[in-house]
PDB file of all heavy atoms in Angstrom:
ATOM      1  N   HIS A  41      90.261  87.509  91.583  1.00 98.00           N
ATOM      2  CA  HIS A  41      90.748  88.465  90.576  1.00 98.00           C
ATOM      3  C   HIS A  41      91.372  87.885  89.353  1.00 98.00           C
ATOM      4  O   HIS A  41      91.847  88.640  88.492  1.00 98.00           O
ATOM      5  CB  HIS A  41      91.523  89.523  91.228  1.00 98.00           C
ATOM      6  CG  HIS A  41      90.817  90.300  92.335  1.00 98.00           C
ATOM      7  ND1 HIS A  41      89.735  91.029  92.103  1.00 98.00           N
ATOM      8  CD2 HIS A  41      91.018  90.296  93.643  1.00 98.00           C
ATOM      9  CE1 HIS A  41      89.248  91.542  93.293  1.00 98.00           C
ATOM     10  NE2 HIS A  41      90.049  91.121  94.234  1.00 98.00           N
ATOM     11  N   GLY A  42      91.578  86.587  89.320  1.00 98.00           N
ATOM     12  CA  GLY A  42      92.210  85.935  88.139  1.00 98.00           C
ATOM     13  C   GLY A  42      93.679  86.192  88.067  1.00 98.00           C
ATOM     14  O   GLY A  42      94.320  86.719  88.947  1.00 98.00           O
ATOM     15  N   THR A  43      94.249  85.757  86.899  1.00 98.00           N
ATOM     16  CA  THR A  43      95.705  85.923  86.610  1.00 98.00           C
ATOM     17  C   THR A  43      95.829  86.466  85.220  1.00 98.00           C
ATOM     18  O   THR A  43      94.931  86.294  84.404  1.00 98.00           O
ATOM     19  CB  THR A  43      96.410  84.550  86.671  1.00 98.00           C
ATOM     20  OG1 THR A  43      95.759  83.627  85.846  1.00 98.00           O
ATOM     21  CG2 THR A  43      96.591  84.052  88.082  1.00 98.00           C
ATOM     22  N   PRO A  44      96.938  87.072  84.845  1.00 98.00           N
ATOM     23  CA  PRO A  44      98.049  87.516  85.710  1.00 98.00           C
ATOM     24  C   PRO A  44      97.611  88.616  86.698  1.00 98.00           C
ATOM     25  O   PRO A  44      96.690  89.446  86.314  1.00 98.00           O
ATOM     26  CB  PRO A  44      99.138  87.980  84.793  1.00 98.00           C
ATOM     27  CG  PRO A  44      98.489  88.103  83.391  1.00 98.00           C
ATOM     28  CD  PRO A  44      97.172  87.403  83.450  1.00 98.00           C
ATOM     29  N   CYS A  45      98.219  88.612  87.827  1.00 99.00           N
ATOM     30  CA  CYS A  45      97.777  89.588  88.831  1.00 99.00           C
ATOM     31  C   CYS A  45      99.014  90.007  89.674  1.00 99.00           C
ATOM     32  O   CYS A  45      99.705  89.163  90.187  1.00 99.00           O
ATOM     33  CB  CYS A  45      96.731  88.954  89.749  1.00 99.00           C
ATOM     34  SG  CYS A  45      96.097  90.021  91.055  1.00 99.00           S
ATOM     35  N   TYR A  46      99.210  91.337  89.845  1.00 99.00           N
ATOM     36  CA  TYR A  46     100.258  91.803  90.737  1.00 99.00           C
ATOM     37  C   TYR A  46      99.690  91.870  92.145  1.00 99.00           C
ATOM     38  O   TYR A  46      98.522  92.286  92.324  1.00 99.00           O
ATOM     39  CB  TYR A  46     100.741  93.236  90.309  1.00 99.00           C
ATOM     40  CG  TYR A  46     101.772  93.170  89.213  1.00 99.00           C
ATOM     41  CD1 TYR A  46     101.429  93.315  87.923  1.00 99.00           C
ATOM     42  CD2 TYR A  46     103.078  92.959  89.584  1.00 99.00           C
ATOM     43  CE1 TYR A  46     102.417  93.290  86.892  1.00 99.00           C
ATOM     44  CE2 TYR A  46     104.109  92.939  88.579  1.00 99.00           C
ATOM     45  CZ  TYR A  46     103.724  93.124  87.267  1.00 99.00           C
ATOM     46  OH  TYR A  46     104.723  93.048  86.243  1.00 99.00           O
ATOM     47  N   LEU A 305     104.184  88.790  91.032  1.00 99.00           N
ATOM     48  CA  LEU A 305     103.205  88.644  89.954  1.00 99.00           C
ATOM     49  C   LEU A 305     102.788  87.206  89.928  1.00 99.00           C
ATOM     50  O   LEU A 305     103.574  86.296  89.838  1.00 99.00           O
ATOM     51  CB  LEU A 305     103.923  89.006  88.602  1.00 99.00           C
ATOM     52  CG  LEU A 305     103.150  88.690  87.309  1.00 99.00           C
ATOM     53  CD1 LEU A 305     101.896  89.540  87.241  1.00 99.00           C
ATOM     54  CD2 LEU A 305     104.078  89.043  86.044  1.00 99.00           C
ATOM     55  N   LEU A 306     101.467  87.070  90.015  1.00 99.00           N
ATOM     56  CA  LEU A 306     100.862  85.706  90.032  1.00 99.00           C
ATOM     57  C   LEU A 306     100.490  85.321  88.570  1.00 99.00           C
ATOM     58  O   LEU A 306      99.919  86.131  87.786  1.00 99.00           O
ATOM     59  CB  LEU A 306      99.542  85.781  90.746  1.00 99.00           C
ATOM     60  CG  LEU A 306      99.644  85.668  92.354  1.00 99.00           C
ATOM     61  CD1 LEU A 306      98.246  85.878  92.893  1.00 99.00           C
ATOM     62  CD2 LEU A 306     100.272  84.352  92.703  1.00 99.00           C
ATOM     63  N   THR A 307     100.803  84.088  88.285  1.00 99.00           N
ATOM     64  CA  THR A 307     100.515  83.640  86.851  1.00 99.00           C
ATOM     65  C   THR A 307     100.136  82.172  86.924  1.00 99.00           C
ATOM     66  O   THR A 307     100.422  81.448  87.901  1.00 99.00           O
ATOM     67  CB  THR A 307     101.651  83.860  85.937  1.00 99.00           C
ATOM     68  OG1 THR A 307     101.379  83.487  84.602  1.00 99.00           O
ATOM     69  CG2 THR A 307     102.974  83.022  86.361  1.00 99.00           C
ATOM     70  N   ASP A 324     100.510  82.342  81.802  1.00 98.00           N
ATOM     71  CA  ASP A 324      99.618  83.384  81.196  1.00 98.00           C
ATOM     72  C   ASP A 324     100.110  84.833  81.435  1.00 98.00           C
ATOM     73  O   ASP A 324      99.472  85.758  81.078  1.00 98.00           O
ATOM     74  CB  ASP A 324      98.131  83.201  81.632  1.00 98.00           C
ATOM     75  CG  ASP A 324      97.957  83.477  83.066  1.00 98.00           C
ATOM     76  OD1 ASP A 324      98.901  83.744  83.827  1.00 98.00           O
ATOM     77  OD2 ASP A 324      96.757  83.353  83.509  1.00 98.00           O
ATOM     78  N   ALA A 325     101.331  84.974  82.120  1.00 98.00           N
ATOM     79  CA  ALA A 325     101.904  86.361  82.153  1.00 98.00           C
ATOM     80  C   ALA A 325     103.068  86.284  81.126  1.00 98.00           C
ATOM     81  O   ALA A 325     103.549  85.260  80.769  1.00 98.00           O
ATOM     82  CB  ALA A 325     102.520  86.514  83.532  1.00 98.00           C
ATOM     83  N   ALA A 326     103.420  87.521  80.671  1.00 98.00           N
ATOM     84  CA  ALA A 326     104.378  87.618  79.601  1.00 98.00           C
ATOM     85  C   ALA A 326     105.217  88.820  79.713  1.00 98.00           C
ATOM     86  O   ALA A 326     105.080  89.595  80.687  1.00 98.00           O
ATOM     87  CB  ALA A 326     103.619  87.644  78.249  1.00 98.00           C
ATOM     88  N   ASP A 329     103.752  92.027  80.653  1.00 98.00           N
ATOM     89  CA  ASP A 329     103.367  92.258  82.078  1.00 98.00           C
ATOM     90  C   ASP A 329     104.606  92.570  82.913  1.00 98.00           C
ATOM     91  O   ASP A 329     104.604  93.433  83.726  1.00 98.00           O
ATOM     92  CB  ASP A 329     102.755  91.019  82.635  1.00 98.00           C
ATOM     93  CG  ASP A 329     101.453  90.572  81.865  1.00 98.00           C
ATOM     94  OD1 ASP A 329     100.493  91.457  81.903  1.00 98.00           O
ATOM     95  OD2 ASP A 329     101.447  89.501  81.318  1.00 98.00           O
ATOM     96  N   ARG A 401      97.358  92.591  74.651  1.00 98.00           N
ATOM     97  CA  ARG A 401      97.088  91.904  75.871  1.00 98.00           C
ATOM     98  C   ARG A 401      96.677  92.956  76.975  1.00 98.00           C
ATOM     99  O   ARG A 401      97.320  93.975  77.137  1.00 98.00           O
ATOM    100  CB  ARG A 401      98.328  91.173  76.357  1.00 98.00           C
ATOM    101  CG  ARG A 401      98.637  89.992  75.518  1.00 98.00           C
ATOM    102  CD  ARG A 401     100.021  89.389  75.844  1.00 98.00           C
ATOM    103  NE  ARG A 401     100.220  89.135  77.263  1.00 98.00           N
ATOM    104  CZ  ARG A 401      99.872  88.111  77.959  1.00 98.00           C
ATOM    105  NH1 ARG A 401      99.232  87.100  77.324  1.00 98.00           N
ATOM    106  NH2 ARG A 401     100.094  87.940  79.239  1.00 98.00           N
ATOM    107  N   ALA A 402      95.530  92.628  77.535  1.00 98.00           N
ATOM    108  CA  ALA A 402      95.052  93.526  78.615  1.00 98.00           C
ATOM    109  C   ALA A 402      96.021  93.542  79.803  1.00 98.00           C
ATOM    110  O   ALA A 402      96.583  92.517  80.096  1.00 98.00           O
ATOM    111  CB  ALA A 402      93.728  93.163  79.131  1.00 98.00           C
ATOM    112  N   ALA A 404      97.491  93.466  83.637  1.00 98.00           N
ATOM    113  CA  ALA A 404      97.059  92.720  84.780  1.00 98.00           C
ATOM    114  C   ALA A 404      96.290  93.487  85.812  1.00 98.00           C
ATOM    115  O   ALA A 404      96.390  94.751  85.845  1.00 98.00           O
ATOM    116  CB  ALA A 404      98.320  92.145  85.489  1.00 98.00           C
ATOM    117  N   ALA A 405      95.578  92.793  86.654  1.00 98.00           N
ATOM    118  CA  ALA A 405      94.972  93.458  87.853  1.00 98.00           C
ATOM    119  C   ALA A 405      96.103  93.680  88.869  1.00 98.00           C
ATOM    120  O   ALA A 405      97.145  93.077  88.873  1.00 98.00           O
ATOM    121  CB  ALA A 405      93.881  92.577  88.461  1.00 98.00           C
ATOM    122  N   ARG A 420      91.613  94.590  86.282  1.00 98.00           N
ATOM    123  CA  ARG A 420      92.188  94.094  85.031  1.00 98.00           C
ATOM    124  C   ARG A 420      91.593  94.900  83.917  1.00 98.00           C
ATOM    125  O   ARG A 420      90.444  95.227  83.861  1.00 98.00           O
ATOM    126  CB  ARG A 420      91.802  92.634  84.876  1.00 98.00           C
ATOM    127  CG  ARG A 420      92.377  91.939  83.674  1.00 98.00           C
ATOM    128  CD  ARG A 420      91.939  90.477  83.639  1.00 98.00           C
ATOM    129  NE  ARG A 420      92.291  89.815  84.945  1.00 98.00           N
ATOM    130  CZ  ARG A 420      93.517  89.586  85.320  1.00 98.00           C
ATOM    131  NH1 ARG A 420      94.581  89.803  84.472  1.00 98.00           N
ATOM    132  NH2 ARG A 420      93.881  89.117  86.500  1.00 98.00           N
TER     133      ARG A 420
END
Side-chain angles (χ1 to χ4, degrees):
H41 301 296
T43 52
C45 179
Y46 277 96
L305 173 61
L306 278 176
T307 184
D324 69 357
D329 300 299
R401 286 170 52 84
R420 181 176 308 287

